[in-house]
Amino acid sequence: MSTDTVRDTAADEAAERRREQRGWYFYDWACSVYSTSVLTVFLGPYLTAVAKHAADADGFVHPLGIPVRAGSFFAYAVSASVILSIVVMPMAGAAADRTGRKKPLLAAAAYLGAAATTGMFFLDGDRYLLGGLLLIVANASLAVSMVLYNSYLPQIAPPEERDAVSSRGWAFGYAAGSLVLVANLVLFTAHDSFGVSESTAVRICLASAGVWWGAFTLVPLKRLRDRRAPSDSPGRTSAHGWRQLAATVRDMRRQPLTLSFLLAYLIYNDGIQTVISQASVYGSEELGLSQSTLITAVLLVQVLAVGGALGMGRLARTYGAKRTILGSLVAWTLTLAAGFFLPAHAPVWFFVLASGIGLVLGGSQALSRSLFSHLVPSGKEAEYFSAYEMSDRGMSWLGPLLFGLTYQLTGSYRDAIVSLVAFFVIGFVLLARVPVRQAVRDAGNPVPEMI
């Protein structure tokens, strides 16, 4: 083969890889609107209000006959979604690795989640159980789709490109969240001008996130391509649910450093995701802030998160992904501790807190994803990312459960929010102890110059 032919082939492969990467970015663009508009902004306060409307004289609702303080219902529903996710994600990851057909599974998960989100338009009156059910289905669907989406990263980006590609994906997601939140803010604040009630405006915002999710999922489904699974891929044929998860963890025991990183990630990301999902409840119920203030604050987070994700990606090229993540965890701890002391009815200080969150949010998540991709043995991407995804995108269960229980026992959202500091401190200590270069070598992957 001539030199020119080799050069042309390499150029064609690079062009195809960039095309896939651009398509891959668009799934973050599609689904992040759910994470932002639904999970972070509207659903928490709205579902809490619906639950309070259905509550008894003592402020309790009784799903399945269990007494639950109405203010804790949303947090418990987020935790319940993880139980379903734990059962379904390993099955989807195993099926994707075994067959190599990720796109049909991605499409099924994405459109089930989009349909559940669109169905939130019908969440009115005292239908808190419907809201909880739709939240559980949408969150679990998002978790499954993200397993499959994340598992493409090692296949579409060589090691030296992954930090940048992962960071761009997060930036796309936050850009979409910002764009839609602007439209949400216009509709919500001027709902009378549009001839709809405030409740109807919220339900339109919820449903529109589902429509957006479904529409833009078409782009990655068109551009991403399936790879044939290796014929000798072992251990992913008959296990289901918990058995498949246990099989994945047993396989990870042969990669103890990968498992150590995953444990650290599960803990600190549990804290991150709980802050994301519960911040609007904290702002509305404890600080007495209006919905328009919360929307503006989250919009500020989205805008700063775009620059934060890209900026931390550049820092990782200089200092390595691990050190950059550790620095972000210090920032998270300080920000969260400051949140405990925020005065009520003071939007300016809430905006300052939101700015701090925005600067570290996207980068800490993007770099964690790219760092983990180096630690996954070839051919097991979806299976390993199914375990990874258990703590991603608001799917953590321990943080929301702790938040809900703390509020249930104390009646104070300040106590609930400060209880999350432990996740960042413990996660920092565990991550600091992981020798990532050795972990990459043990997984059989090339070690990047800076990691």
Side-chain angles (χ1 to χ4, degrees):
M1 184 178 295
S2 69
T3 302
D4 289 342
T5 302
V6 171
R7 187 182 300 113
D8 290 344
T9 300
D12 290 344
E13 290 176 352
E16 176 60 25
R17 186 172 69 248
R18 286 192 296 271
R19 183 177 186 275
E20 274 198 279
Q21 289 172 359
R22 287 191 291 269
W24 185 80
Y25 300 149
F26 264 92
Y27 191 67
D28 243 320
W29 176 275
C31 71
S32 290
V33 170
Y34 167 83
S35 299
T36 302
S37 290
V38 177
L39 196 61
T40 304
V41 178
F42 288 107
L43 189 58
Y46 186 74
L47 185 55
T48 299
V50 171
K52 286 184 175 181
H53 185 263
D56 60 22
D58 296 322
F60 285 81
V61 291
H62 300 268
L64 304 177
I66 302 171
V68 172
R69 193 185 290 269
S72 295
F73 180 75
F74 172 69
Y76 288 155
V78 174
S79 292
S81 72
V82 180
I83 297 175
L84 179 60
S85 301
I86 290 173
V87 174
V88 179
M89 284 191 297
M91 297 169 59
D97 283 337
R98 185 175 66 249
T99 64
R101 292 179 56 79
K102 296 178 184 178
K103 280 209 296 185
L105 294 170
L106 176 61
Y111 284 108
L112 178 60
T117 305
T118 305
M120 291 178 186
F121 178 79
F122 301 102
L123 176 58
D124 58 358
D126 58 358
R127 296 178 180 175
Y128 76 97
L129 284 177
L130 174 63
L133 176 62
L134 293 175
L135 169 61
I136 290 170
V137 172
N139 271 4
S141 298
L142 177 65
V144 170
S145 71
M146 291 304 296
V147 167
L148 304 165
Y149 168 70
N150 286 336
S151 69
Y152 273 103
L153 181 58
Q155 297 177 339
I156 65 173
E160 66 275 9
E161 293 183 5
R162 286 182 201 164
D163 286 348
V165 170
S166 183
S167 296
R168 289 188 199 113
W170 280 105
F172 261 63
Y174 286 118
S178 300
L179 180 64
V180 174
L181 268 182
V182 170
N184 291 160
L185 182 60
V186 170
L187 175 61
F188 182 82
T189 56
H191 59 85
D192 288 335
S193 300
F194 290 99
V196 298
S197 66
E198 181 177 295
S199 173
T200 301
V202 171
R203 292 187 290 115
I204 291 173
C205 292
L206 293 172
S208 65
V211 175
W212 179 285
W213 186 358
F216 284 102
T217 294
L218 293 172
V219 179
L221 291 179
K222 181 177 181 179
R223 292 199 172 188
L224 292 172
R225 60 186 178 88
D226 286 329
R227 274 81 171 170
R228 184 179 298 276
S231 59
D232 59 347
S233 296
R236 297 189 289 277
T237 56
S238 60
H240 298 284
W242 285 97
R243 289 175 56 200
Q244 179 58 53
L245 179 61
T248 301
V249 173
R250 283 196 301 271
D251 186 75
M252 281 185 173
R253 291 174 62 183
R254 293 184 295 215
Q255 310 290 338
L257 297 181
T258 299
L259 191 57
S260 296
F261 171 82
L262 182 61
L263 177 61
Y265 173 78
L266 291 176
I267 292 174
Y268 71 72
N269 196 56
D270 207 330
I272 292 173
Q273 298 303 331
T274 307
V275 172
I276 292 172
S277 65
Q278 304 303 321
S280 59
V281 176
Y282 179 69
S284 62
E285 298 295 322
E286 184 68 35
L287 303 182
L289 301 176
S290 67
Q291 186 72 63
S292 59
T293 297
L294 296 176
I295 296 173
T296 304
V298 175
L299 178 60
L300 179 62
V301 169
Q302 299 301 300
V303 172
L304 291 176
V306 175
L310 297 176
M312 287 182 65
R314 294 189 184 95
L315 287 175
R317 291 199 292 269
T318 303
Y319 300 104
K322 177 183 172 181
R323 290 181 180 176
T324 306
I325 295 169
L326 289 173
S328 76
L329 296 183
V330 173
W332 271 108
T333 302
L334 296 175
T335 302
L336 194 61
F340 176 81
F341 298 101
L342 283 184
H345 309 291
V348 172
W349 287 111
F350 193 72
F351 292 151
V352 171
L353 186 74
S355 299
I357 291 174
L359 290 173
V360 295
L361 175 60
S364 56
Q365 294 174 315
L367 294 178
S368 296
R369 177 171 64 185
S370 62
L371 181 54
F372 184 70
S373 73
H374 293 287
L375 310 182
V376 177
S378 179
K380 298 183 179 180
E381 293 85 3
E383 181 181 346
Y384 272 53
F385 268 110
S386 68
Y388 174 93
E389 187 59 30
M390 282 189 297
S391 193
D392 208 1
R393 300 280 184 144
M395 297 298 108
S396 316
W397 66 273
L398 184 57
L401 180 61
L402 176 63
F403 187 94
L405 284 174
T406 303
Y407 178 76
Q408 175 119 355
L409 295 173
T410 68
S412 170
Y413 282 108
R414 292 187 187 273
D415 292 338
I417 201 75
V418 81
S419 69
L420 304 178
V421 167
F423 290 95
F424 298 100
V425 174
I426 296 172
F428 180 96
V429 172
L430 293 178
L431 177 59
R433 299 179 62 184
V434 178
V436 292
R437 288 186 173 276
Q438 184 61 46
V440 175
R441 283 192 289 268
D442 289 352
N445 296 322
V447 181
E449 181 178 347
M450 183 58 68
I451 193 172

